[in-house]
Amino acid sequence: MLRIGLTGGIGAGKSTVAALLRDLGALVVDADVLAREVVAPGSPGLAMVVHEFGTQVLDGDGALDRPALARLVFGDVARRRALEQITHPLVAQRTADLVAAAPSDAIVVHDVPLIVEKHMGALYHLVVVVDAPQDVRVRRLVASRPMTDDEARARIAAQATTEQRRAAADVWVDTHRSREVVAEEVRRLWDERLVPFERNVRTRTVVRRPERVVLARDHEAWAATAARLAERVARAAGDLGRGVEHIGSTAVPGLPAKPVIDLQLAVADLHAADTLADALAEAGFPLIGAKRDTVVPDVDADPGHWVKRMHGGADPAVVVHLHVREVGGPGWRMALLLRDWLRAEPGERDAYAARKQALAASGLGAGDYAEAKESWWAPAHQRALAWAAASGWSAG
């Protein structure tokens, strides 16, 4: 199944987007709803909360007085953590039960306010962040809750910043627009990205690069995307992983590149790479197969030492090449060296950029374009190795 994390600050309009996704067919698991369920009257969760905070958190009917509890824990880190230690395990178990009961082709939307604050993005195939300008959020909160303007602003300030949310977001939905506009954007997200993404994960289908070569310089966005993808790869690899790196042209600031995110997952050996194939596929990175890197004889003349496992991405919006290589092997080392060399040597970067732009302008297809670049790389390998020796470069 496809797992989507849906988040946003207080008053951002997250519930609106959750409702739209539910109407389109998503299974929405709302963490706030579950948080209420696990402390319902008569529940073990409520008993534990009362034991920790006293009967002052109960209303006249014996139910949890949520505003009273909020006043106790807001601004008090120790008391908030005590509450989280009670409720979070209960919510997590209830969430796991609901997800386990979902069909295998479900698109599960996990509506969680604190995905960014708790660094939970790697748990999901995608994170959708809902946002609106602060003044809009304040007006919504004052109108819908027993909250003053200052209280609303304090609650917003206590949460993740807009910059932190943007870094975590695979998809950004601004609700400071009409409901019709937001609904159309969410429908397109569903039809054009979520539904095909789910199908690709289930069928282990890789999204291929476009045949037409188009170069861009969107390095800030590429770096943020690569960071999110790398966290998902690392989580899927678990203890068998030896680190994930952003490599290739999109990892070199200032270098024009096709919008393809190249990642390198290091493993102890290719047996570990094969062991990880299913976990990586379930995380959204299906196996393409065994491949061999270009042999650089001055590094290692044995072609067998250059073998790797190639995975791709299942997300229709992002082309990913995931190279799984043995840590310390020649392919692993050269991928890091060539990236670092081009970062450190602007003249070499610019010469490579000129070659790439000339090839792209010639109208070559993606396969021919990649092959034609090798004529530049053959002598470039030697210059990169000389730079490594002179600079004392180490692969880590």
Side-chain angles (χ1 to χ4, degrees), residues 187-246:
R187 185 196 63 76
R188 287 199 308 271
L189 169 65
W190 179 264
D191 290 342
E192 298 173 11
R193 192 168 186 182
L194 302 189
V195 170
F197 197 172
E198 184 282 319
R199 181 175 59 247
N200 290 345
V201 170
R202 176 164 39 88
T203 61
R204 300 195 174 185
T205 299
V206 170
V207 175
R208 302 289 182 172
R209 64 191 177 193
E211 182 57 27
R212 180 168 175 262
V213 176
V214 177
L215 302 181
R217 298 176 187 265
D218 198 8
H219 290 89
E220 185 175 347
W222 290 335
T225 299
R228 293 191 297 271
L229 294 171
E231 287 185 354
R232 290 169 184 141
V233 170
R235 181 178 183 277
D239 293 340
L240 292 179
R242 298 292 186 271
V244 184
E245 294 273 359
H246 183 196

Side-chain angles (χ1 to χ4, degrees), residues 40 58 81 130 157 180 193 202 221 250-251 260 315 323 352 368 378:
L58 296 177
R81 286 178 178 167
V130 181
E180 290 74 20
R193 192 168 186 182
R202 176 164 39 88
T250 57
V260 176
D315 181 356
H323 310 254
Y352 184 37
D368 292 336

Side-chain angles (χ1 to χ4, degrees), residues 4-8 14 29-32 95 109-118 120 124:
I4 306 299
L6 177 65
T7 194
K14 182 166 55 66
V29 179
D30 189 327
D32 282 342
T95 300
V109 174
H110 195 193
D111 183 343
V112 186
L114 299 179
I115 286 176
V116 177
E117 289 86 346
K118 298 294 184 181
M120 297 167 58
Y124 306 102

Side-chain angles (χ1 to χ4, degrees), residues 291-302:
K291 300 289 182 179
R292 179 178 287 115
D293 290 313
T294 299
V295 176
V296 182
D298 287 353
V299 176
D300 191 322
D302 186 341

Side-chain angles (χ1 to χ4, degrees), residues 84-330:
E84 290 172 349
Q85 288 172 355
I86 295 170
T87 59
H88 284 188
L90 298 173
V91 171
Q93 183 58 57
R94 180 65 178 137
T95 300
D97 292 343
L98 291 172
V99 173
S104 60
D105 62 349
I107 297 176
V108 178
V109 174
H110 195 193
D111 183 343
V112 186
L114 299 179
I115 286 176
V116 177
E117 289 86 346
K118 298 294 184 181
H119 306 288
M120 297 167 58
L123 297 174
Y124 306 102
H125 292 99
L126 284 178
V127 171
V128 177
V129 173
V130 181
D131 197 39
Q134 180 169 302
D135 287 346
V136 174
R137 294 167 62 189
V138 170
R139 287 199 302 271
R140 290 172 179 172
L141 292 171
V142 172
S144 63
R145 306 190 185 198
M147 193 177 291
T148 67
D149 186 287
D150 287 343
E151 287 172 336
R153 292 183 186 279
R155 291 287 295 275
I156 290 172
Q159 296 183 329
T161 65
T162 299
E163 291 72 22
Q164 289 169 327
R165 294 191 200 282
R166 284 202 177 275
D170 298 288
V171 179
W172 188 269
V173 179
D174 186 350
T175 62
H176 183 43
R177 297 168 295 170
S178 71
R179 183 180 176 87
E180 290 74 20
V181 171
V182 173
E184 176 59 21
E185 183 174 321
V186 172
R187 185 196 63 76
R188 287 199 308 271
L189 169 65
W190 179 264
D191 290 342
E192 298 173 11
R193 192 168 186 182
L194 302 189
V195 170
F197 197 172
E198 184 282 319
R199 181 175 59 247
N200 290 345
V201 170
R202 176 164 39 88
T203 61
R204 300 195 174 185
T205 299
V206 170
V207 175
R208 302 289 182 172
R209 64 191 177 193
E211 182 57 27
R212 180 168 175 262
V213 176
V214 177
L215 302 181
R217 298 176 187 265
D218 198 8
H219 290 89
E220 185 175 347
W222 290 335
T225 299
R228 293 191 297 271
L229 294 171
E231 287 185 354
R232 290 169 184 141
V233 170
R235 181 178 183 277
D239 293 340
L240 292 179
R242 298 292 186 271
V244 184
E245 294 273 359
H246 183 196
I247 58 170
S249 292
T250 57
V252 181
L255 182 65
K258 302 187 305 297
V260 176
I261 303 298
D262 282 276
L263 298 175
Q264 175 169 268
L265 168 63
V267 292
D269 50 44
L270 292 182
H271 173 70
D274 293 333
T275 301
L276 286 172
D278 285 342
L280 290 172
E282 290 169 6
F285 307 97
L287 177 67
I288 296 173
K291 300 289 182 179
R292 179 178 287 115
D293 290 313
T294 299
V295 176
V296 182
D298 287 353
V299 176
D300 191 322
D302 186 341
H305 293 167
W306 295 84
V307 176
K308 63 184 175 183
R309 298 294 182 264
M310 275 294 296
H311 291 247
D315 181 356
V318 183
V319 180
V320 180
H321 293 167
L322 174 59
H323 310 254
V324 185
R325 296 181 171 112
E326 292 185 354
V327 64

Side-chain angles (χ1 to χ4, degrees), residues 46 49-60 62-73 79:
L46 181 59
V49 170
V50 172
H51 178 76
E52 176 68 30
F53 296 97
T55 56
Q56 61 184 318
V57 299
L58 296 177
D59 63 19
L64 182 64
D65 185 338
R66 298 181 69 84
L69 179 60
R71 286 191 294 272
L72 283 177
V73 302
R79 304 210 81 180

